[in-house]
Amino acid sequence: MTEQSRARFRTEARAEHPDPVLLCLLAAAEHPTLPDSDDLGEAPTPEALLAACEAALDRHAAAVRRAVAERAPAGPEETAALLAAVLGGRERFHGRQSDYRRLESSLLPEVLRRRRGLPIMLSLVWTAVGRRAGLTVHGIALPGHFIVAIGGPGGGDEYVLADPFHGGRLLDPEDAARLVRSAGQEFTPQLLTPAQPLDIVLRVLGNIRAWAADRPEHARTQLWAAELALLLPRHPAQLRLERAELLVRTGDFLGGSAEMDAYAEILDAFDPDAAAKVRLDARAARHRLN
């Protein structure tokens, strides 16, 4: 990413009401290996790609508004069925297990083009389209599997849960609890709280980092995602060490070692042994210059 695009990402992340869709588009538009997006129109520049993606979301929202006008859903379950019919049915947004092995499944422009992606990305499409169509749709960050909560017309406390990864299949609370337990955690009602925008973006970038970490030849993609995550107002401190190690791995030995030394100073206060190990790694990185 250029300094200008990083500055915009940082500014949007610190807005009063950050938009996870915009942040995911800004990130993906700057990825150097983003495939061509012919279905979204020619997009030779990041700005053109952003405009094409926004137009695609608006088209899907227009289709949902027409369906709402025709069917007049009376409650959240009917609203969820309508969204499933349009997005999961006619537009064929869904996911498959093989999507976990593809970087495109975490890049929003490609998710819009292929209509395939990870649960969090498909849920992001549902929430973005729902908001544009005047519906109440929130992302729910269950451990291991992202879903959505859908309210009825006019808002209110009633909602139903749906799984965009499986075309909008409705879930009852026990279904949600099983998903949580399958991820090795205990279910609590607090897990059904709507996800915060920046937490969504951090989780998307975390998925990209995890994908690249399993593929050493994609270290630069992992570095790109880590550096974006560091631009968010809140992020795990461990990301600084990850970035430093990736700088070394991609050939910036001096930059990476300097970052390691800076991180070691933070560790000194509560984990001197870990700090000493990081300093040894920094020294080894500098020796690679010889």
Side-chain angles (χ1 to χ4, degrees), residues 225-254:
E227 290 184 334
L228 281 178
L230 285 166
L231 294 176
L232 298 175
R234 300 184 307 277
H235 53 260
Q238 182 75 10
L239 268 175
R240 291 189 58 181
L241 180 59
E242 180 178 326
R243 177 179 181 271
E245 293 170 342
L246 288 165
L247 286 172
V248 171
R249 197 186 308 170
T250 54
D252 186 357
F253 304 124
L254 282 179

Side-chain angles (χ1 to χ4, degrees), residues 138-151:
H138 295 295
I140 303 294
L142 295 182
H145 196 85
F146 213 95
I147 61 173
V148 296
I150 302 161

Side-chain angles (χ1 to χ4, degrees), residues 12-32:
E12 295 294 345
R14 285 162 172 73
E16 184 177 358
H17 301 291
D19 181 356
V21 169
L22 176 57
L23 287 167
C24 286
L25 288 176
L26 287 172
E30 295 289 348
H31 190 269

Side-chain angles (χ1 to χ4, degrees), residues 110-149:
E110 280 299 291
V111 173
L112 290 170
R113 182 181 75 86
R114 298 173 61 242
R115 292 168 169 77
R116 298 268 298 278
L118 297 189
I120 189 171
M121 302 309 298
L122 295 169
S123 296
L124 192 59
V125 170
W126 273 55
T127 57
V129 170
R131 184 178 71 246
R132 285 166 169 78
L135 302 177
T136 303
V137 185
H138 295 295
I140 303 294
L142 295 182
H145 196 85
F146 213 95
I147 61 173
V148 296

Side-chain angles (χ1 to χ4, degrees), residues 10 39 83 116 130 132 148 174 184 194 202 208-209 214 222 226 232 251 258-259 269 284:
R10 185 188 298 109
D39 288 358
L83 280 167
R116 298 268 298 278
R132 285 166 169 78
V148 296
E174 181 53 33
L202 187 62
I208 294 172
R209 288 165 42 230
D214 288 337
Q222 186 181 352
L232 298 175
E259 290 288 336

